[in-house]
Amino acid sequence: MQRYPSSLERISVLHAVNIQKQPVKKQLVQKQVKENSPTLLTQAGKEHYQKQQFTAAVTKWQHARKILISRGDTLNEAMVLGNLAQAYQQLGKLAEAKNATAKSIELLSSHQKDNQNLFAATLNIQGSLLLSEGNIEDAIAVWKRAVTIYEKTGDENGLTRCLLNQTQAYNRLGMHQRALNTLKEVNKTLQNQPDSPLKIVSLLHLGDTLRLTGNIGDSKKTLEQSLAIAEKLNSEANISKILLALGNTYSFEEKNHKALKFYQQAIDKSKSAAIKLQAQLNTLRLLVDTQNSSKAIYLASKIKPQLQNLTPSRTSVYALVNYVKSIEELNISEVSNKQENVKILAKAVQQAENIGDERAQSYALGYLGHLYEQTQQFNSARSLTEKALILAKISNASDITYRWEWQLGRLLTKQHNFVEAIAAYDNAVTTLGSIRNDLVASNLDMQFSFRESVEPIYREFVSLLLTPELEETSQENLKKARQVIESLQLAELDNFFNEPCLKVSPTQVDQIDKQAAVIYPIILENRLETVVSLPNQPLRHYTTAISENEVEKMVQTMRRAIRRKFLKKQHFAICQKIYNLIIKPLEADLAASKIQTLAFVLDGSLKNVPMAALYDGKQYLLEKYNIALSPGMQLLDPQPLENQKMEVLVGALSEGRQGFVPLPGVKTEIDKINSEISTEVLFNQKFTSQALQKQISKTPFPIVHLATHGEFSSKAEDTFVLTWDNRLDVKELGDILHTREQLSSKPIELLVLSACKTASGDKRAPLGLAGVAVRSGARSTIASLWSVDDESTSQMMVDFYEHLRQPRVTKAEALRHAQLKILGKSKFKHPYYWSAFVLVGNWL
């Protein structure tokens, strides 16, 4: 809420003096003052706003404005219009908010010289409005004007607030480093000033931003620093907010015990009923997520009485809905009663309607529709969902809109209205695409979860497009299904990085390689759908009736069978089983089209499967085709390997570091590579993060080869490569490699990671491999799915470069020849030795 200068207070004093001269009864005087004092009306509006009663705030401020207009007081009218703009924005009434801001700026133009800070404050509001409309660059431009004014007037508090607003815009643009840099600069400035409430809030904002961008360690340190200052200044309101934020950070990190500890501290120390309730609801959600039923039941019983006396506000509506959501997920009759939950949600709807908050009303109505969906009252559920959807669109609430579009799609599917269901799902996916930048940061009020609230939409949509109940699957549906599954791959990577960092452009496989097939095996709840793109031909698709759980078990069995201890019969059996599932239905089409390369866009747990090791009963798939993986054709840079001097920058560790075992074979590997092609080697002590960045900046090496320990994880912060002095996580590695883009137009053609592996016990760890491939900026990446034998790896890498040097040999061909050579050696025949290595990205 923007705080304006206190000139309105001057008006109230003058007005009170005039009233004192009138011979009327004291009570009537007080009533007239209350009803006709712009100051009191403005203050009343502010109180409503702080309680999130935005419609009531608008009513008070509109009344105040009418009085000010009648008096010709343009300066104070401009102030009230600024407040109105913010309330309208909260209600999703952007047109009214824009008009109020424009009028405020117009009125202030004649007072600008004497009231520059007020003018800057209004520009600050205008920037927020532009940001909410998606006009991000315009918002930044307006904020820069405000910053210039604040710098001239020396208003450091106004400057800080404005810079904090700018960071929101940078985050929306995916410019997270710039956002963090701005926040760090703000806090650096405040660091040299006495401790103050603004410093507390600024650090809190930085801590939250660090969490949302995945910098968990720094987030905790920053929030703890904010907490120390708040405790020193005895800022009780901020202490409870920081404790709540720390709970959220530890919850994000899945350190549930510590998260619960901080939530409990927020409950114990806060004097704000709203903060207490929020901390309790977050605790309840965490207890439900961790299936701690007994504690969840006890806490739910303590929360329930508090819900009866909530002052109507957006916060109260969200609290009612989130309480019902948690106990519904708990699904225990002691606390989860459908009829009672319907009453609570009906109360939430009524509260939202009473305060005129269409966004909150949409949230409550939509979830009420969800309850009716669960009880199979589909007509009622659909009616409520459609009302919720209309309100969400009116409120410009895209983060809610996609949920109700998805819900409507589910309901229409259950009613066998497939045409309208497809349209609803299509709308949901389109809406998700438009707010990718907003969804990467988990919204605890909305209880956002990618696995629960985003991923199922894509899978259900594909299932609907390819449903057996449709008489014939059209080419249009097949193209849409391929597009949707590619969009899921992008959404997964955005969620992995906790930021929207991927630039995409559609790529036609026909234009890349006329002897390549792109295969999309898609895991659905009760079947595997495989969509195949063959050059210059219509899309094909094949359906196999198999449950998602069965696919999962097969993948786990194959991963175990790839271990060296397993006998040939055992690994042949499972490798053939998965071959029959994915490849056998396509065999005839692949042969007829004279396909030489198979490019897989793998889904779900299949990303853990080395495709090269699939077995047809006589041969491995590697013996028949070149093989490549892609996170999606939209991420493929369709350029062949340039005919340039083959120079390699090698970073290598043979000694044990930071608890990792030595890699004695690395020395042999890099010596042999050096004998084949020109290399610049950073070995052991010389292989530091700084040295790597310096060499990347100095020379445009087409190939970067890192022979060192590394791990791919489902979390960006746990995906890293090891240098002598550091663990470079995927973002840091990407930043170093992207230094090249600023200095040279030539991208890295190939990044080789010859000793990395996927984290054990992490089913989604291949996300880390895809993340490195994308974040590095390299056209292609070669890496291993597990820790591979030193000797076989060394030999294979040398053979790979030997073949890559040959004219017109693609990266996929070079890797295949190297793997086949290892397979041909009796001691390395087992797939463990050669199938771990995968080529991700451009295979040309």
Side-chain angles (χ1 to χ4, degrees):
M1 180 66 196
Q2 181 64 53
R3 178 172 173 80
Y4 288 103
S6 57
S7 48
L8 272 176
E9 295 168 14
R10 182 183 67 253
I11 294 171
S12 67
V13 172
L14 292 174
H15 188 61
V17 170
N18 291 335
I19 289 172
Q20 285 171 5
K21 294 177 182 178
Q22 298 175 17
V24 290
K25 291 182 179 179
K26 186 176 180 182
Q27 287 183 342
L28 181 60
V29 171
Q30 289 175 339
K31 184 177 180 183
Q32 287 176 338
V33 169
K34 193 169 185 179
E35 290 180 352
N36 297 297
S37 165
T39 303
L40 295 177
L41 287 166
T42 301
Q43 181 60 33
K46 182 179 178 181
E47 289 169 3
H48 284 301
Y49 187 98
Q50 289 173 337
K51 294 175 182 176
Q52 297 193 341
Q53 298 166 346
F54 303 119
T55 300
V58 166
T59 301
K60 295 294 183 185
W61 287 331
Q62 283 176 335
H63 190 180
R65 185 191 173 203
K66 285 180 183 177
I67 297 169
L68 292 167
I69 290 172
S70 70
R71 298 178 182 179
D73 189 343
T74 54
L75 180 59
N76 286 305
E77 183 191 352
M79 297 178 193
V80 172
L81 282 165
N83 285 342
L84 277 167
Q86 292 179 95
Y88 284 134
Q89 184 182 4
Q90 289 289 349
L91 292 168
K93 296 181 178 180
L94 299 187
E96 291 91 335
K98 285 173 69 177
N99 290 337
T101 307
K103 184 64 178 176
S104 179
I105 290 173
E106 179 190 332
L107 294 172
L108 286 170
S109 59
S110 59
H111 300 281
Q112 188 175 343
K113 286 186 179 179
D114 299 324
N115 294 276
Q116 289 191 63
N117 284 346
L118 178 56
F119 187 72
T122 308
L123 289 174
N124 205 356
I125 297 169
Q126 187 183 38
S128 296
L129 284 169
L130 288 165
L131 179 65
S132 68
E133 290 182 305
N135 298 322
I136 306 172
E137 289 85 355
D138 291 342
I140 291 173
V142 168
W143 279 323
K144 283 181 178 177
R145 284 181 65 194
V147 164
T148 301
I149 295 170
Y150 283 131
E151 286 175 339
K152 284 181 180 178
T153 62
D155 184 346
E156 292 184 351
N157 287 354
L159 176 62
T160 298
R161 286 195 298 270
C162 198
L163 288 171
L164 291 176
N165 278 342
Q166 281 190 47
T167 62
Q168 296 178 50
Y170 292 143
N171 280 328
R172 289 277 292 275
L173 285 169
M175 299 161 64
H176 296 292
Q177 194 56 51
R178 190 165 181 179
L180 286 175
N181 289 343
T182 302
L183 283 164
K184 286 173 182 176
E185 283 301 313
V186 167
N187 283 284
K188 187 177 179 182
T189 302
L190 290 172
Q191 189 176 8
N192 300 320
Q193 298 178 12
D195 291 337
S196 65
L198 184 59
K199 184 185 283 191
I200 296 168
V201 171
S202 184
L203 286 166
L204 172 58
H205 190 85
L206 175 59
D208 270 336
T209 303
L210 287 164
R211 170 175 61 83
L212 297 176
T213 52
N215 296 304
I216 302 301
D218 290 340
S219 172
K220 287 186 285 191
K221 288 177 186 176
T222 304
L223 290 172
E224 285 163 2
Q225 186 182 350
S226 178
L227 180 61
I229 298 171
E231 288 175 338
K232 176 184 172 183
L233 298 181
N234 197 28
S235 178
E236 292 181 352
N238 283 318
I239 288 172
S240 56
K241 289 177 184 176
I242 298 163
L243 290 169
L244 187 59
L246 279 164
N248 294 342
T249 296
Y250 279 104
S251 177
F252 184 87
E253 198 181 15
E254 296 182 0
K255 291 189 175 178
N256 300 326
H257 178 71
K258 287 193 174 181
L260 291 170
K261 176 184 171 184
F262 279 111
Y263 287 147
Q264 187 59 50
Q265 286 183 32
I267 294 165
D268 293 340
K269 294 188 178 184
S270 180
K271 292 183 179 178
S272 162
I275 294 289
K276 279 182 182 288
L277 182 58
Q278 185 61 61
Q280 286 177 317
L281 287 168
N282 286 5
T283 301
L284 179 60
R285 173 185 50 78
L286 198 54
L287 291 172
V288 171
D289 288 346
T290 55
Q291 298 180 338
N292 194 333
S293 301
S294 57
K295 287 187 178 180
I297 291 169
Y298 174 72
L299 181 57
S301 68
K302 289 183 68 176
I303 293 173
K304 191 175 179 181
Q306 299 176 53
L307 303 177
Q308 305 302 317
N309 303 312
L310 290 176
T311 303
S313 67
R314 178 174 292 179
T315 299
S316 71
V317 174
Y318 275 46
L320 291 166
V321 176
N322 289 342
Y323 170 78
V324 172
K325 287 180 72 174
S326 289
I327 61 174
E328 280 289 321
E329 288 176 31
L330 194 58
N331 198 25
I332 294 177
S333 57
E334 290 177 58
V335 289
S336 182
N337 181 294
K338 282 283 189 292
Q339 286 186 329
E340 201 169 312
N341 290 341
V342 166
K343 287 179 183 178
I344 294 173
L345 290 177
K347 179 180 178 180
V349 171
Q350 189 62 56
Q351 280 195 7
E353 192 174 351
N354 289 344
I355 63 174
D357 192 329
E358 290 166 334
R359 177 190 173 92
Q361 193 178 349
S362 171
Y363 187 49
L365 273 171
Y367 200 73
L368 183 57
H370 177 61
L371 279 194
Y372 280 109
E373 178 190 8
Q374 289 181 320
T375 55
Q376 299 186 13
Q377 299 176 66
F378 297 135
N379 288 332
S380 297
R382 179 176 171 181
S383 175
L384 289 164
T385 303
E386 287 172 338
K387 288 177 184 175
L389 185 52
I390 291 168
L391 289 168
K393 288 180 177 178
I394 290 172
S395 306
N396 295 288
S398 298
D399 54 330
I400 304 177
T401 299
Y402 88 88
R403 290 167 173 260
W404 309 146
E405 287 168 336
W406 172 29
Q407 188 161 293
L408 183 59
R410 292 197 309 269
L411 291 165
L412 290 165
T413 301
K414 288 168 183 174
Q415 293 178 316
H416 297 277
N417 188 342
F418 297 122
V419 174
E420 288 188 45
I422 286 173
Y425 271 103
D426 202 7
N427 289 336
V429 168
T430 301
T431 303
L432 275 172
S434 72
I435 58 173
R436 278 171 62 198
N437 292 13
D438 298 326
L439 282 184
V440 294
S442 177
N443 183 333
L444 287 173
D445 275 344
M446 298 296 295
Q447 298 192 338
F448 169 79
S449 161
F450 181 84
R451 295 296 301 276
E452 295 172 3
S453 304
V454 174
E455 185 175 345
I457 300 175
Y458 293 93
R459 295 197 183 282
E460 289 171 16
F461 190 17
V462 171
S463 181
L464 179 60
L465 288 165
L466 305 180
T467 182
E469 295 183 58
L470 295 175
E471 289 184 9
E472 184 179 346
T473 304
S474 66
Q475 279 296 303
E476 183 181 348
N477 280 10
L478 284 172
K479 288 177 182 177
K480 176 62 74 172
R482 179 177 65 175
Q483 177 190 328
V484 170
I485 207 66
E486 289 237 355
S487 296
L488 173 58
Q489 303 277 352
L490 297 179
E492 280 184 321
L493 285 169
D494 274 351
N495 184 251
F496 170 77
F497 286 115
N498 287 300
E499 59 186 61
C501 56
L502 307 177
K503 297 177 183 178
V504 302
S505 56
T507 300
Q508 295 296 320
V509 69
D510 299 8
Q511 298 169 7
I512 301 171
D513 186 349
K514 293 186 178 181
Q515 293 180 309
V518 183
I519 302 171
Y520 300 80
I522 305 167
I523 303 171
L524 301 177
E525 187 179 7
N526 58 357
R527 64 193 194 278
L528 181 77
E529 294 280 5
T530 305
V531 177
V532 183
S533 174
L534 298 168
N536 302 312
Q537 296 180 49
L539 293 173
R540 291 168 165 78
H541 100 283
Y542 309 86
T543 304
T544 306
I546 184 171
S547 72
E548 184 179 357
N549 288 337
E550 287 179 90
V551 173
E552 187 79 31
K553 287 176 183 176
M554 288 171 67
V555 169
Q556 290 174 0
T557 302
M558 181 165 178
R559 286 284 290 187
R560 288 195 298 271
I562 294 298
R563 296 172 186 167
R564 281 175 288 187
K565 295 178 181 178
F566 268 66
L567 300 173
K568 280 187 179 181
K569 285 184 179 179
Q570 292 171 309
H571 84 245
F572 278 150
I574 187 60
C575 292
Q576 186 168 358
K577 200 171 183 180
I578 296 181
Y579 177 95
N580 291 342
L581 183 66
I582 299 174
I583 304 298
K584 192 172 181 62
L586 331 176
E587 281 181 331
D589 290 332
L590 295 175
S593 301
K594 298 181 180 178
I595 295 299
Q596 292 185 4
T597 300
L598 302 182
F600 292 92
V601 180
L602 295 175
D603 182 35
S605 60
L606 289 173
K607 292 175 183 175
N608 287 293
V609 173
M611 291 290 125
L614 300 189
Y615 189 70
D616 68 0
K618 295 180 181 178
Q619 290 180 299
Y620 291 109
L621 194 62
L622 178 74
E623 296 177 272
K624 300 160 71 173
Y625 300 101
N626 304 320
I627 295 171
L629 305 181
S630 174
M633 292 298 108
Q634 295 178 73
L635 294 170
L636 188 64
D637 184 357
Q639 301 296 323
L641 185 63
E642 293 184 9
N643 291 321
Q644 57 184 307
K645 187 178 178 183
M646 191 77 69
E647 292 182 306
V648 182
L649 172 61
V650 177
L653 283 182
S654 65
E655 296 184 20
R657 296 293 293 172
Q658 300 180 48
F660 288 86
V661 299
L663 295 169
V666 162
K667 182 68 168 64
T668 306
E669 178 181 330
I670 61 175
D671 285 346
K672 287 183 178 178
I673 292 172
N674 191 37
S675 68
E676 293 287 338
I677 51 180
S678 174
T679 60
E680 177 71 34
V681 179
L682 301 173
F683 187 56
N684 284 340
Q685 290 92 334
K686 292 183 179 180
F687 179 35
T688 64
S689 309
Q690 189 174 359
L692 179 63
Q693 181 157 10
K694 185 178 179 181
Q695 284 297 333
I696 290 285
S697 305
K698 181 179 173 184
T699 308
F701 292 96
I703 299 173
V704 176
H705 184 113
L706 303 180
T708 177
H709 284 291
E711 191 161 281
F712 306 120
S713 166
S714 58
K715 296 180 181 178
E717 61 270 23
D718 295 331
T719 295
F720 66 91
V721 295
L722 194 68
T723 63
W724 182 263
D725 62 336
N726 199 5
R727 286 189 186 190
L728 286 178
D729 70 34
V730 61
K731 293 182 182 180
E732 293 167 330
L733 178 63
D735 289 342
I736 287 175
L737 297 178
H738 273 291
T739 305
R740 170 76 159 275
E741 290 184 0
Q742 302 165 17
L743 304 169
S744 171
S745 59
K746 294 181 179 179
I748 296 170
E749 293 285 351
L750 178 63
L751 171 66
V752 179
L753 303 168
S754 70
C756 294
K757 66 182 181 69
T758 54
S760 58
D762 187 347
K763 295 177 185 177
R764 296 169 70 85
L767 266 175
L769 172 53
V772 170
V774 170
R775 190 65 178 246
S776 70
R779 284 178 171 162
S780 313
T781 300
I782 290 177
S784 56
L785 293 173
W786 56 84
S787 297
V788 189
D789 175 79
D790 241 10
E791 183 184 351
S792 61
T793 299
S794 174
Q795 290 183 28
M796 198 187 77
M797 285 299 158
V798 174
D799 291 335
F800 167 71
Y801 285 114
E802 185 180 327
H803 283 96
L804 195 62
R805 290 176 58 197
Q806 306 304 315
R808 294 181 296 279
V809 172
T810 68
K811 299 165 194 169
E813 286 178 298
L815 180 60
R816 176 173 175 247
H817 284 304
Q819 287 175 302
L820 287 174
K821 194 165 181 180
I822 296 298
L823 171 60
K825 297 178 183 292
S826 58
K827 65 186 291 189
F828 298 135
K829 278 189 176 296
H830 196 289
Y832 163 82
Y833 294 100
W834 49 266
S835 69
F837 286 95
V838 293
L839 172 65
V840 182
N842 186 335
W843 60 84
L844 297 179

